[in-house]
Amino acid sequence: MTDRPLGALNAQRIIPLATLAASPRGMNPVVVRLSTALSPAIADILEQDRTVLVLSRQSTGRLYLDQRQFQALTLPPAVEPTADVFLLSVTRNILLRHLPMLSGLPPLAFNMDRGPGAFLLSAASMLEAGVLEGTIPQTRQRLLQHVTDLLITTILDCLDLEVSVAGRRRHRQKHIRHYIETRLHEHDLTPQSIAEASGISTRALYQLFDGEEGAVAGWILNRRLERIHADLTNPAHDALPIAQIALNHGFRNAAHFSRRFRQKFGASPREVRQRFSRGAVRLGGSGRG
């Protein structure tokens, strides 16, 4: 049994721990309050080889990994400077070392009202307000470690903890298919352009569509034909020529379109439109009388 006071024992245990400065994973988190238009502010940070998270209670949180990802956006983010918008940036290559599944993904969006996103916003707000000023280096490092842990937790929560190879594949598939869906009207939409916009190789893109009939091009063709079929059976498009409908959905060659349409639906585009029109007339007539 020792004769030393309990307080002395506690001090012996605590003091050595206080000399250990925990590194914030090497990500060097920095928070600034948005003071200019959002797009130039993000671009400036991305040019410094840093990843930026846009945090605000008034909008969905966003993570922009690099310049290629940001420049691939159809529309730039339309957030103007307010007192409640913060930009949290970290060293990109270190973040990717911890979360390699982020490479090639589109910008992530996360909830700022609840869950880890709300905690991250509060932490960023306090950092920007200077709450760590005057603290000893060891304390500052530990608190920054908590911030980077919270950042990683927020990202993993956004990904539904899909950190496995299969989960990463599903997440990429979902967002690449969404990218394709929004561009089916573009005549020059190709696997090469899709891969480049997604930040992955063409080979990796084909692997994501492994098992789909016709791979990437086959999936694009199928979705275009389904959209055209929907337009042909929609009374709102009755006055629109079939050739124009096909053109609106990315087909430039009328003969190629007609052949592919018949292969999929067992009838020509004109037959499908007429069949639906006759059915609609019969249905309308049965309702009168």
Side-chain angles (χ1 to χ4, degrees), residues 1-78:
M1 189 76 179
T2 179
D3 293 331
R4 282 178 291 181
L6 183 59
L9 287 174
N10 287 340
Q12 288 179 345
R13 292 173 180 170
I14 293 173
I15 291 175
L17 290 177
T19 64
L20 301 176
S23 169
R25 297 181 182 269
M27 285 195 273
N28 185 25
V30 174
V31 180
V32 296
R33 190 185 296 269
L34 184 63
S35 59
T36 62
L38 184 61
S39 293
I42 292 176
D44 182 60
I45 294 174
L46 294 177
E47 287 177 359
Q48 303 172 40
D49 293 325
R50 296 177 67 82
T51 289
V52 60
L53 292 88
V54 181
L55 309 173
S56 171
R57 290 184 178 88
Q58 280 71 48
S59 62
T60 302
R62 298 279 179 180
L63 181 145
Y64 298 103
L65 189 65
D66 52 32
Q67 289 175 295
R68 172 187 290 182
Q69 185 192 69
F70 186 62
Q71 292 168 355
L73 296 178
T74 305
L75 293 174

Side-chain angles (χ1 to χ4, degrees), residues 37 52 58 90 93 185 238:
V52 60
Q58 280 71 48
V90 294
N93 64 331
H185 61 282
D238 280 351

Side-chain angles (χ1 to χ4, degrees), residues 126-143:
M126 289 188 290
L127 284 177
E128 196 278 334
V131 296
L132 293 186
E133 293 178 5
T135 57
I136 62 175
Q138 292 87 352
T139 298
R140 177 182 176 83
Q141 289 290 82
R142 282 198 192 86
L143 290 174

